[in-house]
Amino acid sequence: MASLNSGGGGSGSGRSIFPKGPSFTLENFSNKDFIVRDFIEDLSDSAVPVNRRSGPGQQAFDPKPLIRTFETQLATLSEELGEKETDLLTSVRRAEIQHDQTLDTLGRKLDQSIDSFETLDVALNQPNNTNGNDRNGRSEGGGLIAVQIGERLDALDKQRRRAQDANFLIQCWLEVSEAGQLTSLEDMIRRQGTGENKVRCAIIARQLMRMSQRLDPSSWAQTNGSKKVNGVTNGITGYKGHNTRELIEKFSETLEKDLLKQFDESYRRQNFDDMLECSKVLHDFNGGSSVVALFVNQHQFFIDRSQLITEEVTTDNETWERLADPDSEPPGVEPSLQSLIDEIRVVMQDESFIIKRAFPYYEVVLTKFIQRIFQQSIQQRLEMVLEKADTISSLAFLRSLHASRSYINNLIEDLKAHGLTEHPEACSAQTALSLDQQLDELFVPYLVGNSYIDRERKSLEELYSSLLFKFTIYHSRRKKAPTGFMASLAQQGTQLLATAKDAYIDRLDSSELTPTQKAMMLRVAGLRDQDNTAKNEIEVTDEDGILSIPNAKRMLKWLAEGVRRALELGSGSDTPKDVSALLNLLLTSMGQVYIETALDAAQDQALSQETVKAEPDMAYLPSLQPAITITNVMSRFIDTVLIKLATSNTTDSDLDGSRAGSGYLETLQTATCLSICTFLNRVALLASQAIDGQNIEVFSSELAISIRDLLFEHFKKFQVNATGGLMVTKDMSKYVSTLKDWPLPKDAEEGVEVLSEIGNLFIIGPEALRERSRNFQTGGPGKKLQKADFRAFILRRDDSGSVGIQKLANMAPDAKSSKVFSLEGKGLKLDTAADVEAHIKSLREMEDVEEVRLLGNTLGVEACKVLGEVLETKKTLQIANFADIFTGRLLNEIPQALSSLLTALLTLPKLHTINLNDNAFGLNTQAPLVAFLSSHVPLQHLILNNNGLGPHAGILIADSLTTLHGKKEEARKAGKEVPDLETVICGRNRLENGSMTAWAKVYSLHTGVKEVKMVQNGIRQEGISHLLTEGLRHAKGIKTLDLQDNTFTILGAKALAKVAPGWTDILELGIGDSLLSAKGGVIFAGALAKGGNKKLEILRLQYNDITTKGLQAISKAVKDALPALRKIELNGNKFSEEDQAIMELKEILEARKDKLAGDLVLEDDWGLDSLSDLESEDEDESEEEEEEEEAEELREKLLEEAEEAQDEPVAQREDKDVDELADELKKKAEI
């Protein structure tokens, strides 16, 4: 407790007369330790003087008086404290009452505010003021006035902005039209050069251009070729003295150039954000074509590579020799091509990152970049590599092609996996499609049609001929057994040997053979270069005539390499056909030339022992062992590799034998048959465990008959050849044996046996079929094959169109099919008379044949001689299709073979159509054709496409047609009915300018021609101009004209524009890919607009540098002057796909389709083609200067080239040959 004496007393020197009493604070009494008794005691102690305190001998102190005094004062204090407490409680109650009153007031005010808000809200949402004041009664309907007000405010804001834009646009128009300036736009760019303002400037510039077109037509009056004089077009000053069109175009051009420059500088600084802004502006300005072209065309990769791409392929000679050596492993891709592809892989991955950051439409840019990479860099280097490889050998070319394809395909897969613009994810479907498309387009020229597999087959033939050369020489010299029955059977093998030997010698002497390839062939044959000078002096030993297993393995190894290339280079659909071709080659070279020749030799030795009276010499027996070994190896290779590949792509079932290759087949069932039989055996086992007795017989019988019926229907659906028939026979045998193992009743077994007859129907001849048909039922259920089934099966044979099979099937022969003889596409190699006789028996029997199709086979001299003798008797023949019949033939064979055929045709009075496509005639082999064309008066349709004529042979062909016209006129004068020459198709023949004078003369005479197609002939503008103006302008009734892929330029366009209005009956006109030029497009469109071609239905104008002006003129001509046009091709030109003229063309053609197409619509026959390859419009070039130069050089060039072609000494020699042959044909025709 606190001391009570803290205030009183001190030192003795400071004592006071009146000492101070104790002092107290509130803490003394409020302390929780306060006790009254202790307090009083302490106070008492302090109140008693020291000298008076109790002690020994003194009276005790009495505190009671003090206590009473203290209690009295304490009671007084308690009363005062109670009064104060009461006052405080009263004040608190008053404050609480006041607080409650305040809260109540504020609550009422808050409720009033809420009610006011809700009233306003309801009033806004309910225009009819229904139930607007009830807090809990809001209506769910209403017009949403607030939203409507907001929309109206937005609309007013847009109107205000449009008004401001219109005001600014008018201000700009006044500036450009009155002051000749665009100050406001230039200031906008200068002060606020943001992307948004640049886009706005571009939009305003386009709007100003349209205003100029409407308000200032005089500035647009110089569209059609006017010239500028002192900066003013034809003296026209335009609106109020200013040419607004030129001013606006100049501003737009400047804006675009500034943006492109800014983009280029940003690219060099790697400022991707700035590049993105520029590309967005240019995309809104002109579709972005210019910035894409800048990025792609000016890329450093193309600039650097443009200098290297012209470098020759400089691979060392050792590598090329390894490529040409069939026994060495291929060295892989050519180093310069490999380096280029490796660099492209890095560049593509790096640039795709930039493209994605710099372009909002990055996939389009990436596609363009990919196209440029492949079409410029890779394609050019690939062509150089393959051209170099082709000069080495055929095998070097094939190996280079395969290695290049594989390496470039790896590049494609790496780019797809990298993802390019989608990195690290896989690339988009569009990019993947573009990459695959570029890969396919790179190799299309080398893989199209049969070009690749023919080259592969030719290469293997040369290798096999070289390897077996000494073998064939030896056996061609060996002494033959005495003449007899067996000797006649071996005649075919002897002829085959002789042919192979002669072909090999001729090939070695051919000028087409490269030195490397010749050296390789001699090395494989084991010859020296001087050995082939005299083939009869080549030394051979007995060892050369013995079969060699290592040589057989080499042949199979070479073939395996070729099969691998065919699988990787060819398409899946072509694999069976390609492998079948290689299989036939193997069977011919190894099976017939090698194995059968050795067996024939052993047989001759055995036969020679029959008349010997001494002990027979059996030394020939050991030679049979290698023949057996090689045959087994070959058979295993065929079964393991070739047969599986040849049948791997069948669409429905391996039971379909139509795709099976011909050859040595082992008696095995197809995989499908074995699988089905395994399943049926499992079903039979499970059934036997479940049921027995009569139940199992009934169940098995029902199942077997159902399976038989299913197989019946299956084989009625597919075409089956003879080889496929063998496979079907084996399958059926397996099915029958499987079903007969079941517990079947007798009648069910007989019903199952019918299956065994189906396979035989596909392999036996017509005579045997006739015998079988006599026992067949004509209808109703039965155990035997019914007549209807028999007819259905034989109609699925490959030869179902022959007369014998048609008679058997009791068909009512179709007039057209029964008058057509066809060997089309069979891939036959017919050398001798015996070869061809097996295939023309039905032709000999046909008395009223009208069409003969021999295309897709290869015919030798003797075969053509026999065919000619047969054709000479077919006086009803009208059409002869001899396309692609000399593949693999030597140059000295073709003239004799062709002469035999055409000599026969010359005697046929009704023959009006001849098709000789895809035969390599050239200058050295054209003589029989020239003789025929100059003499065959009934000729109406001539089809000569891809014949390698060249300008000199082209002149001879044209001259023969000129001669033909004279003979047609002579016959008409003699009163005979003679048809006009109506069709001339002569494309892909390199006719060039030099032969155009002769061809123009042809068309000036044969004015009744209806169809002319001369595509891809290398004809330049001078030749085109002469052909049109001096020749085709006379063909007033022409219906189809196709001159695509030649060179027109403005000179040819003018000639076309001059001539075209006279073709009033023309239906189809093709001048695509002909460099018509921008102005040429305008000129030609103007000619169409004259209205002379109202029947025109199809117009091909793709890849002609036609610009927006030409497009607009074409659109107007289509609308006003070409009412029948339904299809137009415009891809690859120089305008935007969004152009207004394109939209108009689409609308016009769509409307015509709806009106004229009818119910069955072929979309490809109507509308516009795909516009996926459009280019940006280039700056104007001085075309007038080019016109003047072209016009001056026209006559000089044309005459010079024509004279060179006519004066060629080879052509003169050929003319003499032609005259002699024509005289001979004429004599024969008279006989």
Side-chain angles (χ1 to χ4, degrees):
M1 190 171 179
S3 176
L4 299 176
N5 299 320
S6 59
S11 62
S13 60
R15 290 186 62 183
S16 173
I17 299 175
F18 306 101
K20 292 182 178 181
S23 61
F24 306 103
T25 64
L26 185 60
E27 293 180 357
N28 293 107
F29 302 98
S30 63
N31 195 315
K32 64 181 180 177
D33 297 328
F34 177 76
I35 301 174
V36 175
R37 183 180 298 277
D38 294 339
F39 175 75
I40 295 298
E41 288 179 357
D42 290 340
L43 184 62
S44 299
D45 289 341
S46 63
V48 179
V50 175
N51 56 357
R52 295 179 60 183
R53 294 179 179 176
S54 61
Q58 292 183 355
Q59 186 179 357
F61 175 73
D62 185 12
K64 291 181 179 179
L66 293 175
I67 292 173
R68 284 191 294 270
T69 303
F70 178 76
E71 288 178 346
T72 302
Q73 293 297 323
L74 184 61
T76 303
L77 288 174
S78 297
E79 291 176 359
E80 293 177 357
L81 180 61
E83 292 176 357
K84 289 184 179 180
E85 184 178 3
T86 301
D87 292 340
L88 289 174
L89 289 174
T90 303
S91 299
V92 169
R93 284 194 296 271
R94 290 175 182 173
E96 288 178 349
I97 293 171
Q98 184 66 34
H99 176 69
D100 291 341
Q101 292 175 351
T102 303
L103 287 178
D104 186 56
T105 302
L106 291 176
R108 287 195 301 271
K109 290 182 178 180
L110 178 60
D111 290 341
Q112 292 174 359
S113 299
I114 293 174
D115 290 341
S116 299
F117 174 78
E118 291 179 350
T119 301
L120 177 61
D121 185 37
V122 172
L124 291 175
N125 291 329
Q126 291 185 347
N128 296 328
N129 293 325
T130 58
N131 285 338
N133 297 321
D134 187 0
R135 180 184 300 181
N136 298 321
R138 297 183 186 178
S139 173
E140 295 181 358
L144 300 177
I145 300 300
V147 176
Q148 295 177 0
I149 291 175
E151 293 176 349
R152 291 182 62 186
L153 289 174
D154 289 340
L156 290 172
D157 183 60
K158 290 179 181 178
Q159 292 179 1
R160 180 184 63 83
R161 281 183 290 175
R162 282 200 296 268
Q164 290 177 345
D165 292 342
N167 181 52
F168 186 72
L169 181 63
I170 293 171
Q171 178 183 340
C172 293
W173 170 251
L174 293 175
E175 289 178 356
V176 72
S177 60
E178 295 181 357
Q181 298 177 353
L182 283 168
T183 308
S184 299
L185 288 179
E186 292 171 353
D187 291 345
M188 181 188 296
I189 296 175
R190 187 167 53 252
R191 292 197 309 270
Q192 301 174 345
T194 63
E196 183 179 352
N197 280 318
K198 290 178 180 177
V199 172
R200 188 182 177 201
C201 287
I203 294 173
I204 293 174
R206 288 201 297 269
Q207 292 173 338
L208 289 173
M209 187 66 74
R210 286 196 290 269
M211 292 177 65
S212 171
Q213 198 168 4
R214 292 188 178 184
L215 301 178
D216 186 14
S218 57
S219 296
W220 295 76
Q222 65 274 14
T223 302
N224 296 324
S226 303
K227 299 180 181 179
K228 293 184 179 180
V229 181
N230 297 329
V232 180
T233 309
N234 277 352
I236 298 175
T237 57
Y239 187 81
K240 295 186 178 181
H242 299 285
N243 192 319
T244 57
R245 177 192 173 194
E246 290 187 358
L247 291 171
I248 299 169
E249 286 181 344
K250 183 177 180 181
F251 171 79
S252 301
E253 183 180 347
T254 303
L255 175 61
E256 183 178 8
K257 286 182 177 179
D258 291 343
L259 289 170
L260 291 174
K261 181 179 179 182
Q262 181 180 345
F263 180 88
D264 187 49
E265 292 173 351
S266 300
Y267 175 70
R268 300 182 189 283
R269 296 194 306 268
Q270 297 291 289
N271 186 345
F272 300 123
D273 293 336
D274 196 22
M275 292 172 66
L276 181 61
E277 183 179 0
C278 291
S279 62
K280 285 181 179 178
V281 174
L282 288 166
H283 181 263
D284 294 333
F285 183 44
N286 62 1
S289 57
S290 58
V291 69
V292 173
L294 173 69
F295 178 81
V296 174
N297 297 335
Q298 299 300 321
H299 196 279
Q300 193 63 35
F301 173 80
F302 299 112
I303 297 175
D304 296 340
R305 278 284 171 181
S306 63
Q307 301 173 354
L308 301 177
I309 203 68
T310 56
E311 296 180 359
E312 295 183 359
V313 180
T314 57
T315 305
D316 58 282
N317 292 332
E318 181 182 354
T319 302
W320 290 118
E321 289 177 358
R322 287 173 58 199
L323 271 175
D325 185 1
D327 295 317
S328 66
E329 290 296 323
V333 69
E334 197 274 333
S336 65
L337 180 60
Q338 180 180 0
S339 172
L340 172 64
I341 294 172
D342 292 341
E343 182 179 353
I344 287 173
R345 182 182 287 104
V346 176
V347 169
M348 289 288 294
Q349 293 175 358
D350 293 343
E351 291 305 311
S352 61
F353 171 77
I354 297 176
I355 289 172
K356 185 167 185 179
R357 296 191 59 184
F359 293 93
Y361 42 96
Y362 55 84
E363 280 201 344
V364 176
V365 182
L366 180 62
T367 301
K368 291 286 186 183
F369 192 71
I370 291 172
Q371 290 175 351
R372 182 71 185 274
I373 285 279
F374 277 82
Q375 295 176 6
Q376 177 172 323
S377 301
I378 296 180
Q379 183 175 350
Q380 291 183 13
R381 175 54 59 176
L382 177 65
E383 289 175 351
M384 295 176 65
V385 169
L386 295 181
E387 286 176 2
K388 175 65 176 178
D390 201 20
T391 62
I392 301 300
S393 72
S394 299
L395 181 61
F397 175 87
L398 292 169
R399 286 179 165 182
S400 297
L401 180 67
H402 175 246
S404 302
R405 171 66 181 260
S406 299
Y407 204 76
I408 296 174
N409 186 65
N410 291 337
L411 167 68
I412 298 295
E413 296 304 321
D414 290 346
L415 295 179
K416 289 180 181 178
H418 178 269
L420 298 178
T421 54
E422 308 301 324
H423 183 75
E425 302 295 331
C427 67
S428 65
Q430 179 181 348
T431 304
L433 180 62
S434 177
L435 289 169
D436 291 337
Q437 182 180 357
Q438 295 303 318
L439 176 65
D440 292 340
E441 291 179 356
L442 272 180
F443 291 92
V444 161
Y446 311 106
L447 305 177
V448 65
N450 295 326
S451 57
Y452 161 71
I453 198 63
D454 288 344
R455 188 185 282 264
E456 190 77 63
R457 186 174 63 241
K458 181 180 178 182
S459 174
L460 285 170
E461 284 177 348
E462 291 176 349
L463 291 175
Y464 288 169
S465 299
S466 300
L467 185 63
L468 303 181
F469 179 65
K470 284 191 173 182
F471 179 84
T472 56
I473 288 289
Y474 175 86
H475 284 283
S476 65
R477 295 177 183 175
R478 66 181 169 83
K479 185 177 180 181
K480 302 297 186 300
T483 304
F485 174 71
M486 298 305 295
S488 65
L489 294 179
Q491 181 181 5
Q492 185 176 358
T494 304
Q495 293 175 345
L496 191 63
L497 279 179
T499 302
K501 178 187 68 176
D502 295 341
Y504 180 76
I505 293 295
D506 293 338
R507 179 64 175 160
L508 286 177
D509 294 337
S510 173
S511 60
E512 298 177 359
L513 202 64
T514 64
T516 304
Q517 189 166 357
K518 182 176 182 180
M520 181 273 298
M521 292 175 64
L522 291 171
R523 182 184 64 78
V524 172
L527 300 174
R528 294 170 299 176
D529 195 4
Q530 60 270 24
D531 288 345
N532 68 321
T533 55
K535 61 184 177 183
N536 293 325
E537 298 178 2
I538 296 175
E539 296 182 0
V540 292
T541 63
D542 291 341
E543 186 177 351
D544 293 326
I546 299 174
L547 292 178
S548 169
I549 295 177
N551 281 350
K553 291 182 178 179
R554 289 173 72 187
M555 295 173 71
L556 292 176
K557 179 185 175 184
W558 298 341
L559 181 66
E561 181 183 336
V563 170
R564 177 190 173 191
R565 282 194 295 266
L567 288 176
E568 296 185 13
L569 291 177
S571 63
S573 60
D574 291 335
T575 297
K577 181 183 65 175
D578 295 344
V579 173
S580 178
L582 298 179
L583 172 61
N584 289 330
L585 174 63
L586 177 65
L587 295 175
T588 301
S589 300
M590 183 178 285
Q592 296 181 7
V593 175
Y594 203 37
I595 298 174
E596 288 188 8
T597 299
L599 293 176
D600 288 343
Q603 183 185 30
D604 289 343
Q605 293 181 24
L607 291 175
S608 66
Q609 303 298 316
E610 292 181 356
T611 57
V612 176
K613 296 182 179 180
E615 181 180 342
D617 183 6
M618 309 298 289
Y620 62 86
L621 287 179
S623 64
L624 299 179
Q625 181 58 42
I628 295 171
T629 303
I630 293 173
T631 302
N632 286 332
V633 172
M634 180 180 69
S635 178
R636 182 173 299 179
F637 179 82
I638 291 172
D639 291 335
T640 305
V641 179
L642 300 183
I643 292 298
K644 289 185 177 180
L645 291 175
T647 59
S648 62
N649 286 39
T650 51
T651 57
D652 182 81
S653 168
D654 288 334
L655 294 175
D656 175 15
S658 62
R659 293 191 179 186
S662 60
Y664 299 147
L665 298 176
E666 291 192 355
T667 58
L668 298 175
Q669 289 75 32
T670 62
T672 303
C673 173
L674 293 175
S675 176
I676 292 174
C677 291
T678 302
F679 171 74
L680 292 176
N681 287 329
R682 188 163 61 251
V683 170
L685 177 62
L686 295 174
S688 64
Q689 295 173 358
I691 53 179
D692 58 7
Q694 188 176 2
N695 289 335
I696 189 66
E697 285 189 3
V698 173
F699 173 80
S700 301
S701 176
E702 290 292 334
L703 184 58
I705 297 301
S706 298
I707 293 172
R708 181 203 66 179
D709 294 340
L710 289 174
L711 290 171
F712 261 54
E713 296 305 317
H714 176 80
F715 284 103
K716 292 177 183 178
K717 298 177 182 178
F718 302 101
Q719 205 76 14
V720 180
N721 59 22
T723 306
L726 291 174
M727 299 173 69
V728 172
T729 302
K730 296 305 175 184
D731 283 356
M732 287 303 178
S733 176
K734 181 67 174 177
Y735 287 128
V736 171
S737 63
T738 299
L739 295 177
K740 289 180 70 175
D741 287 340
W742 296 358
L744 299 176
K746 187 176 181 180
D747 59 342
E749 283 190 6
E750 292 178 356
V752 169
E753 283 285 356
V754 177
L755 290 175
S756 60
E757 299 183 21
I758 295 180
N760 294 330
L761 298 181
F762 295 112
I763 57 177
I764 61 178
E767 294 296 331
L769 281 175
R770 186 175 294 108
E771 292 297 325
R772 293 272 182 118
S773 66
R774 293 172 182 170
N775 299 321
F776 291 141
Q777 298 179 5
T778 57
K783 303 168 188 176
K784 296 183 178 180
L785 195 65
Q786 298 179 9
K787 189 72 174 179
D789 297 324
F790 172 73
R791 182 176 182 275
F793 286 130
I794 65 173
L795 287 178
R796 308 315 294 176
R797 289 170 55 117
D798 265 3
D799 58 349
S800 60
S802 65
V803 175
I805 299 298
Q806 286 183 1
K807 290 180 179 178
L808 279 174
N810 291 327
M811 297 173 59
D814 178 73
K816 181 176 180 181
S817 61
S818 64
K819 296 181 180 180
V820 176
F821 172 77
S822 177
L823 296 177
E824 180 177 354
K826 291 185 178 294
L828 303 173
K829 186 176 183 181
L830 307 178
D831 298 317
T832 64
D835 293 340
V836 75
E837 282 292 350
H839 299 280
I840 63 172
K841 183 179 179 181
S842 59
L843 177 60
R844 290 186 182 275
E845 297 172 356
M846 298 173 72
E847 298 178 357
D848 55 351
V849 61
E850 294 181 357
E851 181 177 357
V852 171
R853 302 173 185 168
L854 303 179
L855 63 160
N857 302 286
T858 176
L859 309 180
V861 176
E862 291 186 26
C864 287
K865 184 177 179 181
V866 173
L867 275 171
E869 292 172 355
V870 175
L871 292 175
E872 196 170 6
T873 65
K874 305 303 177 183
K875 301 303 181 182
T876 60
L877 187 65
Q878 299 177 18
I879 302 173
N881 191 335
F882 295 162
D884 191 18
I885 59 172
F886 296 125
T887 299
R889 296 296 170 181
L890 301 176
L891 290 177
N892 59 352
E893 290 183 275
I894 297 176
Q896 303 175 55
L898 185 62
S899 177
S900 297
L901 294 175
L902 296 183
T903 301
L905 298 185
L906 198 59
T907 64
L908 306 180
K910 295 184 178 181
L911 183 80
H912 55 69
T913 301
I914 179 74
N915 184 338
L916 291 166
N917 285 350
D918 303 316
N919 290 307
F921 292 149
L923 187 60
N924 297 322
T925 57
Q926 43 67 42
L929 178 60
V930 170
F932 171 79
L933 294 179
S934 61
S935 305
H936 191 62
V937 174
L939 184 65
Q940 286 181 268
H941 309 285
L942 172 62
I943 306 174
L944 278 174
N945 209 53
N946 191 28
N947 300 106
L949 295 177
H952 306 305
I955 291 174
L956 298 176
I957 297 297
D959 288 346
S960 68
L961 293 177
T962 300
T963 304
L964 176 66
H965 175 265
K967 293 187 177 181
K968 282 178 177 283
E969 291 299 318
E970 291 176 5
R972 290 189 181 105
K973 292 178 181 178
K976 297 180 181 180
E977 184 176 348
V978 178
D980 289 330
L981 180 64
E982 296 183 2
T983 302
V984 177
I985 298 176
C986 191
R988 299 184 64 189
N989 273 309
R990 296 186 302 104
L991 298 179
E992 301 177 359
N993 282 6
S995 65
M996 286 304 100
T997 300
W999 281 101
K1001 186 176 180 181
V1002 170
Y1003 297 128
S1004 68
L1005 296 173
H1006 293 280
T1007 56
V1009 68
K1010 297 289 191 299
E1011 180 179 4
V1012 174
K1013 293 185 178 181
M1014 301 181 72
V1015 302
Q1016 200 176 347
N1017 271 311
I1019 310 171
R1020 295 190 57 78
Q1021 56 267 32
E1022 302 88 357
I1024 287 289
S1025 177
H1026 189 80
L1027 179 68
L1028 289 169
T1029 57
E1030 300 299 325
L1032 290 171
R1033 74 180 178 88
H1034 299 284
K1036 301 297 184 181
I1038 192 169
K1039 295 182 181 295
T1040 300
L1041 175 62
D1042 195 346
L1043 296 174
Q1044 296 185 93
D1045 205 5
N1046 292 294
T1047 304
F1048 273 65
T1049 72
I1050 192 170
L1051 184 62
K1054 285 186 172 182
L1056 181 63
K1058 180 180 178 182
V1059 173
W1063 298 328
T1064 55
D1065 293 330
I1066 193 165
L1067 301 176
E1068 180 177 349
L1069 178 58
I1071 51 175
D1073 202 10
S1074 298
L1075 198 61
L1076 202 61
S1077 78
K1079 190 168 184 180
V1082 176
I1083 294 172
F1084 175 59
L1088 293 177
K1090 294 179 180 179
N1093 312 111
K1094 294 188 180 297
K1095 296 182 181 180
L1096 184 64
E1097 297 180 358
I1098 300 174
L1099 181 59
R1100 309 187 193 280
L1101 293 171
Q1102 67 274 23
Y1103 298 96
N1104 269 317
D1105 289 349
I1106 297 174
T1107 59
T1108 302
K1109 297 177 183 177
L1111 175 65
Q1112 292 171 348
I1114 291 169
S1115 176
K1116 187 175 185 304
V1118 170
K1119 180 179 180 181
D1120 299 336
L1122 301 175
L1125 191 75
R1126 55 182 171 84
K1127 177 75 174 180
I1128 183 169
E1129 297 180 0
L1130 290 169
N1131 192 24
N1133 288 297
K1134 296 184 176 181
F1135 46 76
S1136 170
E1137 190 174 356
E1138 307 301 326
D1139 196 287
Q1140 182 64 31
I1142 289 293
M1143 303 304 171
E1144 293 175 357
L1145 278 173
K1146 288 182 177 179
E1147 292 177 2
I1148 293 170
L1149 298 177
E1150 187 67 24
R1152 292 179 182 176
K1153 182 180 74 172
D1154 295 339
K1155 181 180 179 181
L1156 304 173
D1159 296 331
L1160 182 60
V1161 180
L1162 299 176
E1163 295 296 336
D1164 290 342
D1165 294 342
W1166 295 85
L1168 280 167
D1169 60 335
S1170 169
L1171 299 178
S1172 59
D1173 203 16
L1174 293 175
E1175 300 180 13
S1176 59
E1177 187 172 348
D1178 296 331
E1179 296 181 1
D1180 293 337
E1181 299 177 355
S1182 179
E1183 295 179 339
E1184 287 77 13
E1185 295 178 2
E1186 295 179 1
E1187 291 179 44
E1188 295 172 359
E1189 294 174 1
E1190 291 169 346
E1192 292 173 358
E1193 296 173 3
L1194 169 60
R1195 184 170 299 278
E1196 180 180 352
K1197 276 189 174 183
L1198 193 60
L1199 291 176
E1200 180 180 354
E1201 292 176 356
E1203 290 173 358
E1204 289 177 358
Q1206 294 281 15
D1207 295 338
E1208 184 68 28
V1210 178
Q1212 292 175 1
R1213 176 179 59 80
E1214 292 294 345
D1215 279 344
K1216 183 178 179 182
D1217 294 342
V1218 171
D1219 293 339
E1220 294 176 355
L1221 188 54
D1223 292 337
E1224 182 181 347
L1225 291 173
K1226 184 176 180 182
K1227 292 177 181 178
K1228 186 163 186 179
E1230 292 174 351
I1231 293 174

